Amino acid sequence: LWTSTQGPFEVRRAMASCLNIAVSKIRVVPMEIGGGFGGKFPLYHEPVAALLSKKTGNPVKIVMTRKEVFQGTGPTSGSYLKVKMGVDRAGKFTAAQAYMAYEAGAFPGSPVDTAAQYAFAPYHIPNLVIDGYDVVVNKPKAGAYRAPGATNAAFAIETIVDELSVELGIDPLQFRLNNVANELTRSASGLKYPSVGRTEVLNAMINHPHCKTPLTGTHYGRGVAVGYWPTGGAESSCTISVNTDGTINLVEGSTDIGGTRASVAMQAAELLGLKAEDVNPQVLDTDSIGYTSGTGGSSVTFKTGWAAYKAAESVLDQMMARVGLMWNVHPESIEYNNGIFESNEALGKSLDFKEVASDINNTGGPIVGRSSINATGSAPTFAGCLVDVRLDVETGKVDVLRVTIFQDVGKAIHPSYVEGQMQGGTVQGIGWALNEEYFMDETNDMANSTLLDYRMPTCLDLPMIDTVIIEVPNPGHPFGVRGVGEVSIIPPAGAIANAVYRAAGIRPNTLPMNPKVIMENIWDDNV
């Protein structure tokens, strides 16, 4: 069975249950794809194919049309939100209330729980009341989609925050900074928020040239918004073997759908003092690696990178033992710095990693480091977005002119990949803000189930997305890693809505803010 982001062992259990056979009889091979964003986690046609194959005794292939993919696989939740926020004369939040109804589709299970827990996470608000409802409706079952539930909530909350800043006459970024949460702030569930670079992100936004550059012209507007998202950890396994040419083979179980093969390899290379090119990373099937949970929740660089770090530590311990044999000194006396082994018991002697590796067969044989962990200590992420737009009040068309995304990434292991994740999430957020929707007719049939009618942004609709990487290390990881894949989708919708307000004096309260929605707002407000 081929799969993508779902945890391979979870897939094996599900398929074994369908077929009523032992889990050991199913082998899962990772199939790498360009991206998952949550949509590849659920099983759709695989169980059906397995049951049909069992019944017929023949191989079965199921192919879905584009319309069937739209209608039969999980979109993100539609939602209805009502938000109230109170502020004192000094510009400090005193209380907030939210009513959140999230569509689950035909079966229960919307992301209303995470939306409720983290919706107000950017801010210190002493009093919170949140009512969340998981609503079953006659529509396709909702699925995970990049920071599930958070974009909806941030759109509503960031609009209210912006409205309050206007009423108080306070710069919208400064207003957010004045009310920023910290490690003493409690979430709606009563738990304290972990450390994350909220203040650092907001200060970077305030001091960035994008914020300081004047925006002039009729119906031009600049908007800001921020977003918070927790990230995951869980189980992961890694094996590292040393080759006699000084390279290493790294075997992991996390399917690579966003550059994690490189980011995991680089963490092993960092500890061992090697170049990234000296690491040969491989993602193997379930018969060849220990338990590894699914590729999702912004977790892989964190959890599998940590597993690689622990496996590299094991390799280093064994290498020191070999150096001890070669020099006839105690391994405890050996230090490894900048790729060089030295010992205070063997003054004047030194060996680099490749020299030790070249002689491992004469000093005891192969060296293999292994690690299987249940990674705890994952840390949240925080992002902010600045957007400039131009609004055509005759047609309702919104043109996005400039976008800068700011994000606390903990430690950017592979900066260009991190930037790609930031840009990709931002583009998806822009699509959600302006175009993307499931349009259901009176019979609850999807009326735009083709890629001609389901409007996604293309390069013709977008400017270059500027990125600002902020690094506030996660204390729960040896290299300070935070997951980076999801939070960037959260603030764009709110930022665009706030930019539209400054461009035309209207506050759209519906996503997407397509020309129909914009024009209805303009007509209602007589702009």
Side-chain angles (χ1 to χ4, degrees), residues 30-369:
M31 180 176 68
E32 295 179 10
I33 54 178
F37 316 115
K40 305 299 187 294
F41 257 91
L43 297 177
Y44 295 107
H45 42 43
E46 292 94 334
V48 178
L51 289 171
L52 289 173
S53 181
K54 180 183 180 183
K55 190 172 185 66
T56 63
N58 294 307
V60 172
K61 179 179 182 180
I62 294 180
V63 178
M64 301 176 75
T65 65
R66 179 64 66 189
K67 185 178 181 68
E68 288 169 338
V69 170
F70 270 112
Q71 293 185 326
T73 60
T76 193
S77 289
S79 60
Y80 175 82
L81 296 102
K82 292 172 68 175
V83 176
K84 291 169 125 182
M85 300 181 75
V87 64
D88 63 21
R89 294 183 183 277
K92 293 288 188 178
F93 287 131
T94 57
Q97 181 178 5
Y99 170 96
M100 301 179 173
Y102 276 67
E103 289 185 350
F107 306 96
S110 74
V112 67
D113 52 347
T114 51
Q117 181 153 353
Y118 301 111
F120 293 105
Y123 306 112
H124 180 77
I125 306 174
N127 305 288
L128 289 171
V129 175
I130 301 172
D131 294 303
Y133 295 89
D134 185 43
V135 184
V136 178
V137 294
N138 187 27
K139 291 182 181 179
K141 173 70 181 77
Y145 175 50
R146 208 168 196 161
T151 302
N152 320 44
F155 168 62
I157 291 166
E158 289 300 296
T159 299
I160 300 299
V161 171
D162 194 72
E163 197 169 350
L164 286 170
S165 73
V166 172
E167 288 291 325
L168 292 167
I170 304 175
D171 175 83
L173 282 172
Q174 188 61 49
F175 181 58
R176 287 168 170 81
L177 186 60
N178 293 347
N179 286 282
V180 71
N182 54 47
E183 289 74 48
L184 298 178
T185 302
R186 293 189 182 274
S187 72
S189 66
L191 299 176
K192 291 183 179 180
Y193 289 118
S195 171
V196 65
R198 298 178 182 88
T199 301
E200 290 82 355
V201 166
L202 285 165
N203 279 324
M205 295 174 74
I206 290 170
N207 294 311
H208 193 270
H210 185 168
C211 188
K212 295 180 177 293
T213 303
L215 183 64
T216 58
T218 304
H219 302 310
Y220 286 74
R222 174 173 296 154
V224 304
V226 297
Y228 173 103
W229 186 247
T231 61
E235 306 87 354
S236 190
S237 298
C238 182
T239 300
I240 296 175
S241 56
V242 179
N243 301 316
T244 55
D245 63 355
T247 62
I248 61 173
N249 298 326
L250 186 151
V251 175
E252 55 164 305
S254 291
T255 308
D256 181 0
I257 61 170
T260 54
R261 189 199 305 265
S263 65
V264 171
M266 291 171 72
Q267 292 179 70
E270 180 73 16
L271 183 66
L272 296 175
L274 303 177
K275 296 179 181 178
E277 295 83 356
D278 291 330
V279 183
N280 307 309
Q282 301 177 64
V283 179
L284 296 189
D285 59 62
T286 51
D287 288 342
S288 309
I289 191 67
Y291 186 94
T292 301
S293 57
T295 296
S298 305
S299 66
V300 173
T301 297
F302 171 79
K303 69 184 179 188
T304 307
W306 200 347
Y309 180 93
K310 299 296 287 185
E313 280 189 326
S314 174
V315 166
L316 203 54
D317 288 342
Q318 295 175 64
M319 296 283 277
M320 289 179 174
R322 299 299 175 89
V323 173
L325 288 174
M326 296 166 71
W327 290 345
N328 195 26
V329 300
H330 293 94
E332 295 80 9
S333 71
I334 298 168
E335 294 184 354
Y336 186 64
N337 296 306
N338 300 317
I340 302 296
F341 292 96
E342 295 177 313
S343 170
N344 56 20
E345 295 181 11
L347 297 178
K349 292 185 178 181
S350 65
L351 291 169
D352 64 24
F353 187 93
K354 292 183 183 295
E355 289 173 322
V356 178
S358 68
D359 205 31
I360 58 174
N361 290 334
N362 296 322
T363 57
I367 290 178
V368 179

